Structures are given as C-alpha cells and as structure tokens.
Amino acid sequence: MIRRPPRSTLSSSSAASDVYKRQVRDLAMQDYDKGYLKVLSYIANVAQMSHDTFEQRFAELDSDPNHQFVVIEQASTGTIVAAGTLYCERKFIHNCGLAGHIEDISVDSGFKRKRLGSRMVFELLRRARERGCYKVELRCTRDNVPFYEHCGFRQKDYEMVYTFPAPKL
C-alpha cells in the first residue's frame, strides 16, 4: 500500500501565497536554465554541462518511456527545487513484469524540511503503479533509511556495487 502525504503537501490551497505554490511535472528542455543541474548537484558531482550536451541527453532519454524524470518547480521564481527519476525495468520474471527503480531524489538545500522529498517519492510511486510495476526499489545511504521507511519502503537484502575505474584522459 502506498502511504500518502498529508493533503497539504499534495497541492497548494487557493488561499496560500504564491511562495508555497509548486508544480510537479515532467522534466522539460528549458529546465536546464531553471536550475535542474544545480538540484542534482546536491546528491552527486554534476560536471559542467553545455546546453547542447543537456539537449542531446534529454532527447535521448525523453524518447524512452521507461525513464521518467520529474521535477518540482517553485511557481514564484520559476526554478527547479526538487527532482527525481523513475526507471521501469522490463523483466522476464513476474509474467514479463516491470520493476520500478527510484533514483536521484534531490531537493534544493533552501527547500529542505518542506516535504518536497516525500512529495517526489509519492509522485514516482504513483507513476510506477500507473505503469503496472509489481515493485519499486531504491538505493540510499544509511542516513536516509528512516526517510524512505516513512514513505513506506522497507529494508531488504544487501546491495553490492562494482565501480569501474575512471578512464585515464
């Protein structure tokens, strides 16, 4: 069962100030100029990326229905304040089902503790259910386990990673 955030975090009331109005939507090409890469830089090293490189990667990933990049835009400033990704992996098991993978949940440091992270997770879970995923999994640091447990996830098994050495330039 997907836990739902309090109603107040799903949408802004009409009486709320524009400062609190935020739109959850798919990533768009113009988000390069709205701070998308800055938001991602809170969770990973994001190298300087030209607009052309962003445009090429965006076009490549946007054409794949199994990748969904979602952002939360602050209405008053037009800037991206949170981001997340859902990848739906096609499987042979579970009747050729789809397994969802949530990745790259990131919130601008100026917007922490405003439930944007949980809002993003619940949106990605909603989309995974809509796509027909039989499960959704994610990786996180030990420090983030309580957050994801609050969102309805549970710890399962162990994760192993093999990292390739960086290519020599």
Side-chain angles (χ1 to χ4, degrees):
M1 179 172 99
I2 297 176
R3 295 182 59 194
R4 304 294 300 167
R7 189 171 193 75
S8 63
T9 66
L10 290 174
S11 63
S12 302
S13 71
S14 58
S17 165
D18 281 349
V19 172
Y20 299 107
K21 291 185 181 175
R22 298 178 186 103
Q23 178 186 12
V24 178
R25 60 173 177 75
D26 291 335
L27 179 69
M29 187 72 72
Q30 63 268 27
D31 293 333
Y32 176 88
D33 297 317
K34 293 184 173 191
Y36 176 68
L37 296 177
K38 177 188 171 212
V39 170
L40 289 182
S41 74
Y42 290 108
I43 59 166
N45 183 12
V46 179
Q48 291 289 351
M49 184 182 301
S50 72
H51 192 277
D52 287 343
T53 301
F54 180 84
E55 190 173 304
Q56 289 171 357
R57 179 51 53 105
F58 177 86
E60 174 189 328
L61 294 171
D62 193 47
S63 67
D64 181 354
N66 292 315
H67 269 102
Q68 294 186 34
F69 295 87
V70 180
V71 296
I72 299 178
E73 180 178 350
Q74 176 69 37
S76 62
T77 61
T79 57
I80 303 304
V81 295
T85 303
L86 171 67
Y87 175 69
C88 297
E89 175 188 9
R90 296 179 181 275
K91 307 287 271 186
F92 281 104
I93 61 175
H94 292 279
N95 295 316
C96 294
L98 290 173
H101 300 270
I102 289 179
E103 298 183 339
D104 304 335
I105 300 295
S106 184
V107 177
D108 185 294
S109 64
F111 289 85
K112 297 279 187 188
R113 315 257 347 133
K114 298 186 185 308
R115 298 185 175 165
L116 297 181
S118 59
R119 186 173 178 186
M120 179 60 69
V121 169
F122 289 120
E123 174 64 17
L124 296 174
L125 287 171
R126 183 191 68 75
R127 289 173 180 231
R129 175 174 277 178
E130 195 173 83
R131 286 287 318 273
C133 292
Y134 67 89
K135 72 175 179 180
V136 175
E137 52 191 31
L138 57 80
R139 298 180 345 209
C140 69
T141 63
R142 185 180 307 265
D143 291 343
N144 287 330
V145 167
F147 167 75
Y148 288 109
E149 286 178 334
H150 177 75
C151 292
F153 286 84
R154 60 182 171 77
Q155 292 185 54
K156 182 183 177 209
D157 300 327
Y158 295 95
E159 175 184 275
M160 304 297 288
V161 175
Y162 183 92
T163 304
F164 294 100
K168 294 180 183 178
L169 300 177

